Structures are given as C-alpha cells and as structure tokens.
C-alpha cells in the first residue's frame, strides 16, 4: 500500500491526510558533553579542595597536639617491653602503682605456673590436710572409687542404703591425695 492510501483510507475519508510527525529539536549531543565535562571538572576541583583541607587540618592538629601521657615520648614509637631500670626511674618518687614491664612474658609465666599446678602434687592447706593432685590421677581415682551417691529426699530408705553401700569411703578428706 502506498502512503497516500494509508493516509486517505476509509478512516480518513473526507479529512485531510494526517502525517505522523516527531519533534525535530531533540536534545543535542553538545549539551550532554558540556554537562559531562562540567561534572568532571567540578569533581576534580572538589577533590583537590578536600585533599588540601584535610592536609591543612592534619598539620594543624599535629602542631597543636600535646602528649597524652608524660611517660610517652613524642619522638619515637612506644615500646611494650620496658626494663626494670626504666620502671624504677619513672616511678621512683611519684608513688604511682608499678606498671607491667613485660606483659607477654608475665602472662606466659602465669599460664605455665597454672599448668604446673594442674599437673603436679602439692598442698592447698597443709594444716587441714588438703592437697592437689594431677588431673590424670584424679580421673583414675574417680574411675576406681566412683562418684559419691547421696540419698534423695523422700526416697526409700532401703534403696538408698543399698546405693550407699556401693560407694567405698577412703577415710580421707575431700580433695585429699594419697
């Protein structure tokens, strides 16, 4: 079909032909590129303004900053390990509590002391006859002797007596060692 027929078909009889048109004045590429270039230029300018502002504020803060503690020197990095002479010199006359001189070493020594106590024999209270024993030995004794059974309230007296007969008391106090 020709364009004339389509425009003057049965629906358009007696009416002048209407052509479908579009707007010829769309947004040009020049405006889009100008906006994008302006956006990039303003982003770069803002970036340099912010970098300059932060560098200025950082320099200002460093110049105005005072040492937080009189024990910290501003010239070097603070070390975690101090010798006993350093501690004595710093705290000799001011009466302040003593600082830990070697945190990691002291903690390691504490853990090793605890481990030695858990795996050795020794007295907790010698006058009362209370001693500590190694964990392995305590588990062996528990297996040999069993756990103590105490009667429950309201239970049959004969049943609790037979259960109590299973447990063999050793005659030693609670927590005592052989």
């Amino acid at each position: 079909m020709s364009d004339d027929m389509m425009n003057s078909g049965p629906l358009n009889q007696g009416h002048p032909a209407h052509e479908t048109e579009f707007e010829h004045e769309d947004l040009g590429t020049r405006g889009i590129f100008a906006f994008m270039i302006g956006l990039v230029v303003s982003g770069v300018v803002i970036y340099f303004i912010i970098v300059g502002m932060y560098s200025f504020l950082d320099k200002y803060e460093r110049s105005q900053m005072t040492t937080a503690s009189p024990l910290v020197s501003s010239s070097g990095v603070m070390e975690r390990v101090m010798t006993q002479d350093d501690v004595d010199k710093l705290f000799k006359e001011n009466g302040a509590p003593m600082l830990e001189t070697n945190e990691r070493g002291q903690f390691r020594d504490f853990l090793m002391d605890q481990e030695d106590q858990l795996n050795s024999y020794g007295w907790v209270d010698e006058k009362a006859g209370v001693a500590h024993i190694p964990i392995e030995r305590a588990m062996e004794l528990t297996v040999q002797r069993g756990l103590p059974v105490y009667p429950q309230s309201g239970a049959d007296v004969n049943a609790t007596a037979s259960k109590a007969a299973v447990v063999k008391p050793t005659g030693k106090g609670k927590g005592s060692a052989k």
Side-chain angles (χ1 to χ4, degrees):
M1 285 179 149
S2 71
D3 288 336
D4 292 335
M5 268 183 129
M6 287 179 63
N7 289 335
S8 61
L11 295 176
N12 291 329
Q13 287 178 355
H15 298 292
H18 294 289
E19 290 188 27
T20 306
E21 299 247 348
F22 61 92
E23 185 175 344
H24 294 283
E25 296 294 324
D26 285 341
L27 183 61
T29 56
R30 176 180 285 176
I32 293 173
F33 285 126
F35 174 76
M36 295 301 282
I37 290 172
L39 189 64
V40 168
V41 168
S42 62
V44 169
V45 168
I46 290 172
Y47 170 77
F48 284 114
I49 289 173
I50 290 175
V51 167
M53 182 178 66
Y54 275 112
S55 65
F56 169 75
L57 290 175
D58 189 39
K59 288 177 187 174
Y60 178 77
E61 181 185 13
R62 288 184 187 185
S63 69
Q64 300 297 318
M65 187 170 37
T66 59
T67 307
S69 171
L71 302 176
V72 178
S73 65
S74 59
S75 61
V77 178
M78 189 172 98
E79 294 182 20
R80 292 181 64 87
V81 178
M82 296 179 65
T83 64
Q84 190 61 41
D85 294 334
D86 294 337
V87 174
D88 291 342
K89 182 176 72 176
L90 291 172
F91 291 99
K92 186 174 184 179
E93 297 177 4
N94 66 0
M98 298 300 285
L99 295 175
E100 293 181 355
T101 56
N102 184 359
E103 296 172 31
R104 292 183 182 109
Q106 289 172 341
F107 186 62
R108 186 192 68 242
D109 293 342
F110 172 76
L111 290 178
M112 294 306 292
D113 290 342
Q114 293 292 317
E115 191 71 26
D116 289 342
Q117 186 176 5
L118 289 173
N119 294 312
S120 66
Y121 293 92
W123 290 104
V124 174
D125 186 2
E126 190 171 359
K127 292 179 182 177
V130 179
H132 64 85
I133 61 174
I135 295 174
E136 294 294 325
R137 180 68 180 142
M139 290 192 292
E140 290 172 7
L141 290 173
T142 303
V143 169
Q144 290 173 359
R145 297 178 185 173
L147 295 173
V149 178
Y150 298 103
Q152 296 180 355
S153 62
D156 186 13
V157 176
N158 293 332
T160 57
S162 66
K163 286 183 183 177
V166 174
V167 177
K168 298 176 184 176
T170 60
K172 295 187 178 182
K174 182 179 180 182
S176 63
K178 271 190 166 180

